[in-house]
Amino acid sequence: MAYTEDHIALAAEYALGTLDADERAQVETMMAVDEAFAAIVQAWSFRLGGLNQMVGSIEPRPIVWENIRAEIVRSSQAQQPPALAEASPPPPPPARELPAAGAAEPATEASPTPAGSQAEAAPPEMPRPEPDTLADVAPQFIPQVHAPDLAVARAPQAAVVDDGNVIRLEGRIKRWRSIASVAGALAAALLVTLSLQIFLPDALPNGLRPAPRIQTVEVKTPAAPLAASAQYVALLQGQAGGPAFILTVDGATRNFTVRKVGAAPEPGKSFELWLISDKLPRPRSLGVIGSGDFTARPLLASYDAEIVNGATYAVTVEQAGGSPDGRPTSAPVFSGKLIETVPPSQPQAPAKK
């Protein structure tokens, strides 16, 4: 699983101990179900634990605890729901009729009438309250019923402020401040460690001490002088006798030089040098001998030393510029074999004192 920077920062804050209770519970739940995330938290704990051993404990100032308490109180008040509005008083009961000052008295007793006569009863009279007296009635609140005031009805209502975003932003700011503090502490610890490794390596634990430096010095001895190589010479002569060419071969580089002695080419012809060996299927051309006194070639470097030393070197007369097909067109007129003239020098043993 790929973890983002927020996961890594959360693990570092957990190891540093700057998370609140809910965030710590979240991290512990992630550690229980994800072993890789638990390994990241353990790695941060190991890193910060080593730094904690190098830094002494510091008691915070009293003002810090006061600010923390004030912040906790402010956060708890901000998260509480607003108090319910006071309940309005219940509507008043309907007004009862005012009782009369006195109960109606029954009609006056009818006067006795003589027998045989019928008397009509007079209607009773209702007593009236006195104008200057008030009834004993408890005061009651009767709301007024009228049209609302337009100025009050059109007044804008106060907007309800939602501080949820402010709280979340404040939490993010605290998290980034914690990350910045951790990064600053790591940088300071690394700077101190590097300084101690350079100037006072003995003051560090064994695990943080730098490895001992091993400096390798290469001493170059002057090269021994080259030993003189063997020199070979072949005298190339014809049937009548007398040297025509002298062939010199260096045994180390196998470069050869042809010295013209008494041979002169015919007009329109050229002398060409050949190497003839029973280990080769046919003669091999070593090039045309120039018109000057000396002709040097490096062509023998491609042959083995055994072939070079045991071969026969012959000169034929070819057309101007040499054989056109790489094969001799005439019989050799001069030939000879190499002989060693200068042996190779042997290394001398150091003189004993």
Side-chain angles (χ1 to χ4, degrees), residues 43-55 186 189 193 205 208:
W44 275 108
S45 301
F46 178 76
R47 296 174 188 171
L48 299 177
L51 297 177
N52 190 23
Q53 295 178 0
M54 300 175 58
V55 180
L186 289 175
T193 304
L208 298 178

Side-chain angles (χ1 to χ4, degrees), residues 295-307:
T295 301
R297 296 282 191 276
L299 300 178
L300 291 176
S302 60
Y303 297 96
D304 295 338
E306 185 178 356
I307 295 177

Side-chain angles (χ1 to χ4, degrees), residues 9 19 91 139 164 193 265 273 284 289 302 318:
L19 298 179
T193 304
L273 181 64
R284 298 296 177 87
I289 300 174
S302 60
E318 304 292 342

Side-chain angles (χ1 to χ4, degrees), residues 249-270:
V249 179
D250 187 353
T253 62
R254 298 179 190 173
N255 296 334
F256 70 88
T257 303
V258 179
R259 172 75 164 86
K260 186 185 297 185
V261 177
E266 299 178 5
K269 300 291 184 178
S270 297

Side-chain angles (χ1 to χ4, degrees), residues 269-277 280-288 303 312-319 321-335:
K269 300 291 184 178
S270 297
F271 289 121
E272 188 169 355
L273 181 64
W274 300 87
L275 184 147
I276 303 173
S277 176
L280 299 175
R282 60 182 179 83
R284 298 296 177 87
S285 175
L286 298 180
V288 176
Y303 297 96
T312 299
Y313 296 89
V315 177
T316 61
V317 179
E318 304 292 342
Q319 63 182 5
S323 174
D325 57 356
R327 297 175 180 272
T329 60
S330 64
V333 294
F334 306 106
S335 62

Side-chain angles (χ1 to χ4, degrees), residues 3-4 6 30 46 97-98 100 141 157 162 170 173 177 190 201 203 248 251 258 268 270 273-274 276 294 302 310 349:
Y3 297 99
T4 61
D6 292 338
M30 294 175 64
F46 178 76
E97 294 182 358
L98 295 177
F141 175 76
Q157 298 181 356
D162 185 10
E170 185 178 359
I173 292 174
R177 285 179 180 175
L190 289 177
T248 304
V258 179
S270 297
L273 181 64
W274 300 87
I276 303 173
F294 294 92
S302 60

